[in-house]
Amino acid sequence: MAEAARRDIVLVVDDTPGNLSFLTDTLDHAGVTVLVATDGTSALSLVDQITPDLILMDAVMPGLDGFETCRRLKQDKQLTHVPVIFMTGLSESWHVVKGLEAGGVDYVTKPIVVDELLARIRVHLANARIAQGTRAALDATGRYLLSTDRDGTLQWCTPRAATLLTELFGGTGAQALPADVTARLARLREGGADAPSASFVEIGARRLELSFVGSTGPAEFLYRLADVSPGREERVLQDAFSLTGREADVLVWISRGKSNREISEILGISHRTVNKHLEQVFEKLGVENRAAATARAVRVANP
């Protein structure tokens, strides 16, 4: 017997019983599982228990209004991917701007047109699934990538980037970027054709390279990180392949296209010694030539 398809989960946040009843019936008829909250505080408590696929948010509610509720939702890194659609009156166009600034992705006006609402929900659910799939794929590659919103607030980062940020900036590095880093990211994003392609941050003996990759959404920007600290490649290769310090030195220079003679001059060792180290490197890497050794070194040292 085929497994039943998973129903999308939509959280409806509205303080008006009539609206809740109408939306619940409409969405249930469309094959959606509906969760209900009558105020912002209840919505925040509910998402602690279950993560919806999309949220329909009334803009104006007593107590915690829809805008502040959305802002708090978006502060939770586990919920940043969940699209929020605001519901607002026809005469309240300023709500649209305020809702988008709070983190919403779209809005519908009251009285709600069912076909329009369902069409917008389908579009944003599809976009969210694509974004989540992309992030999962990037996580799996093990790359050093992060994204921020327009204000520089960290939205998401791959596990390796989170580890690197924590190493460089301490326990909060993977949650909140330092102001200096945020400013550098903004300059990279806003720079014109003549702007540098990368920016460097010195943290003690460590050196972090930042580069702008591109936009992944209307207000989400992707950046690449690289640890370019002196001696980093040597340490990475030494740990990855159980090399001695000198073997790691030789492998780094091999990967940079240097000949054995050039390496002997750089490291201050004989040509014969370079050859002996290289033989050990080939054996430990399980390769037979310089090209294969270089390929493995580059993949490991510069993921």
Side-chain angles (χ1 to χ4, degrees), residues 29-45:
H29 184 71
V32 173
T33 297
V34 185
L35 306 176
V36 170
T38 56
D39 56 59
T41 301
S42 298
L44 294 174
S45 298

Side-chain angles (χ1 to χ4, degrees), residues 220-286:
E220 187 174 26
F221 306 96
L222 187 66
Y223 302 88
R224 181 183 295 109
L225 309 180
D227 184 352
V228 292
S229 306
R232 183 200 67 87
E233 287 183 81
E234 289 84 349
R235 292 192 298 273
V236 170
L237 294 174
Q238 189 172 353
D239 291 342
F241 301 118
S242 300
L243 304 176
T244 67
R246 187 56 85 190
E247 288 167 355
D249 291 337
V250 169
L251 180 55
V252 166
W253 289 112
I254 287 291
S255 69
R256 294 175 182 173
K258 299 299 182 180
S259 67
N260 287 14
R261 187 173 299 280
E262 289 173 317
I263 294 172
S264 70
E265 295 174 356
I266 292 169
L267 298 180
I269 57 180
S270 70
H271 187 274
R272 183 184 298 273
T273 301
V274 172
N275 284 333
K276 288 182 178 179
H277 286 313
L278 201 51
E279 289 173 4
Q280 291 300 311
V281 168
F282 287 173
E283 182 177 343
K284 291 180 179 180
L285 269 63

